[in-house]
Amino acid sequence: MDQRKKRSPNEIRRAWEVCPNIPARDFAAQLAISEAELVAAHCGFGAARIDPRVNHVLTGLEFVGEVTALTRNQGAVHEKIGVFNRVITGNNHAMVLGDEFDLRVFPQAWRYGFAVERRHRGGIQRSLQFFDATGAAVHKVHLRPVSNLHAYRKLVAELVSANQEPTMSLKARVADLGARTADWAGTVDDLREHWSRLTDVNLLKTLKLSRCQALRMVGQDYAWLLDNAAVGAVLQRAAEDELPIMCFVGNRGSIQTHSGLIKSVKQIGPCIHVLDETFRLHLRTHQIREVWAVRKPTNDSHVTSLEAYGSDGKIIIQLFGARKEGERERDDWRVLVENLPRFPDSYMRKDRSSSVGRRRPSASAASSRALKPRPGTR
């Protein structure tokens, strides 16, 4: 547990009153506290603790109507607007599979919950916010003007906790570089053999390999390194060419997906934003350490993904061409990704000893130029 002197709840509240427009995650980082501690400090002052009973939360949200669901990690924020329906409950894995939402939830990571009311731009912004054992946000649901306020209040009343303390005792956040390779006793041939028949979702755990280390080792016929600019360039091309995609952003408690077209892609400073009517993505490109193109064998040939990783070795964002189970991958998506400039294999071999790659020389201009011509489909 971090033994640094913590600010009191009163100090935290007063500090945020001075800077109300700074995002909660960023402001908590400035105070050297977790986001959950920032919210807890407002218990009795616009926030109330609720029990994070995931199945009850998801089924109760079906009656609340249109909301904004938000899942984030250190480098990306994924927002979807719609109605919770087709909820599938479960103690280890729950899902929302409605027309607007595709959400995978891992209930054991949801350790703390809050119902929050905060003045924002002349109105009251209401939300349910959930955090893991370290105080990091795993999922949030924000009400919209058309939401059913009565159903929301009923749900909060059913979940309200007897504990309304404004302070928290959290687990220390352990740095995770994904470096399980000390236990790796196999060979590259072992990895490639497993990868070629990739049906075991626990492959990396079984082999005791981190994801980045596996990508670095498996060979360029399965995974190849790209410039960090590739993510923004592909999002822009998908919007321009009306190429439907699947965009995944997740953390230890939830994975949220957008499937379909994107329209408005803008770069503002170091951030790339998708600003569509029912889907918003905010990608902090300065948090990206590596970008990979990855081929994964399936029963339908293979699928190609674009994957961005942070300095901690954790995945920030994953992009696919939109497809349904049992369908082949779109030719236009495959050609788009396969025509992005690759880093040479000599560079890859030089860096394979580390689980998280060192920062590479930039090839941003080359990536942008390569995307200007529209390659034909196969």
Side-chain angles (χ1 to χ4, degrees):
M1 183 68 189
D2 191 346
Q3 297 300 317
R4 290 176 297 178
K5 185 179 183 300
K6 298 292 186 181
R7 294 173 183 259
S8 72
N10 285 337
E11 290 173 325
I12 293 171
R13 291 196 302 272
R14 285 198 299 268
W16 207 13
E17 286 172 2
V18 178
C19 307
N21 295 321
I22 299 178
R25 178 187 172 98
D26 295 340
F27 188 71
Q30 290 182 18
L31 297 183
I33 62 176
S34 70
E35 191 177 349
E37 289 172 293
L38 174 61
V39 178
H42 290 77
C43 281
F45 297 86
R49 287 180 183 252
I50 59 174
D51 295 329
R53 288 182 273 139
V54 173
N55 292 328
H56 194 142
V57 170
L58 296 180
T59 54
L61 283 170
E62 291 188 85
F63 300 98
V64 177
E66 184 179 274
V67 295
T68 299
L70 184 154
T71 296
R72 70 171 305 155
N73 55 43
Q74 76 274 22
V77 181
H78 189 295
E79 300 178 51
K80 288 285 288 183
I81 296 172
V83 177
F84 274 67
N85 53 25
R86 289 188 61 199
V87 172
I88 301 173
T89 59
N91 293 328
N92 297 315
H93 184 197
M95 294 183 286
V96 182
L97 299 175
D99 294 333
E100 293 94 356
F101 289 131
D102 185 340
L103 180 67
R104 267 64 175 178
V105 174
F106 310 101
Q108 293 179 358
W110 293 38
R111 295 293 299 274
Y112 303 101
F114 298 89
V116 180
E117 293 190 0
R118 188 167 182 238
R119 290 202 169 273
H120 184 70
R121 296 177 181 175
I124 300 294
Q125 185 183 69
R126 296 177 174 87
S127 62
L128 301 179
Q129 304 187 19
F130 301 94
F131 302 87
D132 67 14
T134 71
V138 292
H139 193 64
K140 298 181 182 181
V141 177
H142 292 269
L143 267 62
R144 297 178 58 78
V146 296
S147 300
N148 185 328
L149 188 56
H150 173 74
Y152 168 79
R153 286 173 171 162
K154 179 176 182 294
L155 177 60
V156 171
E158 292 167 351
L159 295 170
V160 69
S161 172
N163 174 16
Q164 295 296 325
E165 289 294 321
T167 59
M168 307 186 75
S169 178
L170 301 171
K171 285 188 177 180
R173 189 170 300 176
V174 178
D176 178 12
L177 297 180
R180 294 193 290 268
T181 54
D183 298 322
W184 168 247
T187 67
V188 173
D189 288 340
D190 293 333
L191 174 60
R192 288 177 58 82
E193 169 62 21
H194 280 83
W195 195 290
S196 68
R197 45 187 176 82
L198 190 58
T199 57
D200 179 8
V201 296
N202 295 314
L203 166 67
L204 299 181
K205 184 176 181 181
T206 301
L207 297 181
K208 298 181 180 179
L209 277 175
S210 76
R211 194 178 183 106
C212 283
Q213 185 71 12
L215 295 177
R216 193 167 297 280
M217 292 172 60
V218 74
Q220 290 209 39
D221 50 340
Y222 286 128
W224 58 96
L225 193 63
L226 302 171
D227 180 68
N228 290 358
V231 179
V234 166
L235 287 171
Q236 188 65 54
R237 175 55 60 83
E240 292 173 358
D241 290 359
E242 297 185 349
L243 194 168
I245 63 170
M246 299 173 69
C247 174
F248 295 77
V249 170
N251 53 54
R252 68 181 63 187
S254 62
I255 300 173
Q256 193 162 295
T257 308
H258 167 77
S259 297
L261 297 174
I262 58 174
K263 297 179 181 179
S264 176
V265 179
K266 297 181 180 181
Q267 176 134 12
I268 304 173
C271 297
I272 296 170
H273 305 272
V274 177
L275 302 172
D276 290 349
E277 186 176 353
T278 60
F279 171 54
R280 298 172 193 147
L281 173 72
H282 311 284
L283 179 64
R284 298 182 174 190
T285 59
H286 58 288
Q287 296 287 346
I288 296 175
R289 183 62 177 266
E290 291 185 349
V291 176
W292 291 83
V294 183
R295 288 195 186 110
K296 299 181 177 70
T298 70
N299 293 331
D300 314 304
S301 179
H302 72 263
V303 295
T304 311
S305 63
L306 197 69
E307 303 181 358
Y309 293 83
S311 59
D312 58 1
K314 294 179 181 178
I315 193 164
I316 291 174
I317 188 170
Q318 192 175 39
L319 302 174
F320 292 85
R323 60 185 283 272
K324 294 182 179 179
E325 192 73 27
E327 292 181 349
R328 287 181 56 86
E329 181 171 67
R330 296 177 60 96
D331 287 336
D332 48 2
W333 169 260
R334 184 175 294 184
V335 171
L336 173 60
V337 176
E338 292 183 349
N339 277 272
L340 294 166
R342 306 185 185 198
F343 280 88
D345 190 55
S346 59
Y347 179 86
M348 295 287 298
R349 286 197 299 269
K350 180 174 64 179
D351 230 14
R352 278 181 181 162
S353 60
S354 66
S355 62
V356 179
R358 296 188 292 271
R359 194 171 294 278
R360 313 173 303 288
S362 176
S364 301
S367 293
S368 299
R369 286 195 301 271
L371 282 178
K372 286 182 181 178
R374 262 68 170 177
T377 56
R378 292 178 176 177

